Amino acid sequence: MSEFDDEEYESFELDGAGRSAEPVKKTTGSGAGGDDDIEDDDDDFDESDLEDAADDEIDFVLAAYREDGQPYVQSLGKDLANDLDELIIQLRRLPGDAGALGFVSLVEEVFVITRVRGQHVQVLLSDAAAAADWPIARDVVDYLGEEPIDEDEEEGEPIGDLGIVADLGLSDFDMGAIIDNLDLSSVEMLVDVADKIKLNPQFRKAVEAAVG
């Protein structure tokens, strides 16, 4: 294939084992009259306080997969940038021979990478403190079974599997180095990740189509 449109780009093999997925349980609070309606601990995180990221705060939601040996990268609905559980469901539905990768970037500051292979799911959040601001970041923290992060103490620390694409050519050490480069936006970080796993220039083209 010599040309690609905005919905179809070159991707890569998605081999390698992930960990077994568990359903993401989102905290929505109890109904009226329940004991949980009484806020008696100011330190408790109430996910209902988080507003969904608006369209102009979502840089892109992209998926990469391979079907019948043909690689693809495509845009997904921006609503998936607010719900890890639904993102996993949609990635699992893609016709990939060896699973799929999802890439989410928010306000050019935070990214989430999700890798789904059947019931095996891996996740990586570039900044654990983002759980205080963004629903999908909070979902990642919940999925990993971690406690909410103190934003002042842990800002900028990644959480999840730094080796999420190690078998594709980007080690956990090199992933950490990309995240630690504060001169890069989250969009640039993911483009760099794509470069290391030999997804560019197609991934970059998909990003440019998404962000305009």
Side-chain angles (χ1 to χ4, degrees):
M1 182 179 296
S2 61
E3 295 183 357
F4 298 83
D5 59 29
D6 289 340
E7 295 297 325
E8 184 173 306
Y9 306 97
E10 186 174 15
S11 184
F12 46 83
E13 292 288 356
L14 298 175
D15 296 325
R19 71 180 183 82
S20 181
E22 295 293 338
V24 177
K25 295 182 174 60
K26 299 184 68 180
T27 303
T28 57
S30 299
D35 292 340
D36 290 343
D37 291 334
I38 302 174
E39 296 183 3
D40 55 3
D41 186 348
D42 291 337
D43 293 333
D44 286 343
F45 186 92
D46 184 359
E47 190 176 1
S48 65
D49 290 340
L50 293 181
E51 295 184 0
D52 283 353
D55 280 359
D56 61 355
E57 295 173 316
I58 301 167
D59 304 315
F60 55 79
V61 182
L62 299 177
Y65 63 95
R66 183 179 292 273
E67 182 182 11
D68 296 328
Q70 175 64 43
Y72 298 91
V73 173
Q74 69 179 52
S75 293
L76 298 178
K78 283 191 171 183
D79 57 307
L80 299 179
N82 289 307
D83 192 334
L84 178 65
D85 192 16
E86 187 62 27
L87 176 60
I88 289 171
I89 290 171
Q90 295 304 320
L91 289 174
R92 188 170 286 133
R93 289 174 175 171
L94 292 175
D97 298 331
L101 279 170
F103 303 87
V104 176
S105 177
L106 299 170
V107 295
E108 299 189 2
E109 294 179 359
V110 178
F111 75 71
V112 173
I113 300 176
T114 306
R115 188 172 186 178
V116 178
R117 301 179 72 239
Q119 295 302 310
H120 299 283
V121 176
Q122 297 163 275
V123 291
L124 174 64
L125 170 63
S126 62
D127 182 355
D133 299 312
W134 307 107
I136 196 169
R138 174 64 183 186
D139 285 349
V140 171
V141 171
D142 287 346
Y143 177 80
L144 294 170
E146 301 289 345
E147 293 296 323
I149 302 300
D150 186 314
E151 183 174 359
D152 293 330
E153 293 182 5
E154 300 291 342
E155 187 172 1
E157 292 296 319
I159 187 172
D161 190 350
L162 286 171
I164 191 168
V165 289
D167 59 309
L168 301 176
L170 181 61
S171 70
D172 54 353
F173 178 84
D174 290 335
M175 179 71 80
I178 290 174
I179 294 173
D180 286 342
N181 187 349
L182 300 181
D183 291 331
L184 298 178
S185 69
S186 58
V187 171
E188 292 168 328
M189 288 179 185
L190 289 179
V191 170
D192 203 4
V193 168
D195 188 55
K196 297 298 190 297
I197 59 178
K198 304 185 186 306
L199 185 57
N200 281 327
Q202 291 79 18
F203 185 89
R204 186 186 300 272
K205 182 180 178 181
V207 169
E208 290 173 351
V211 301

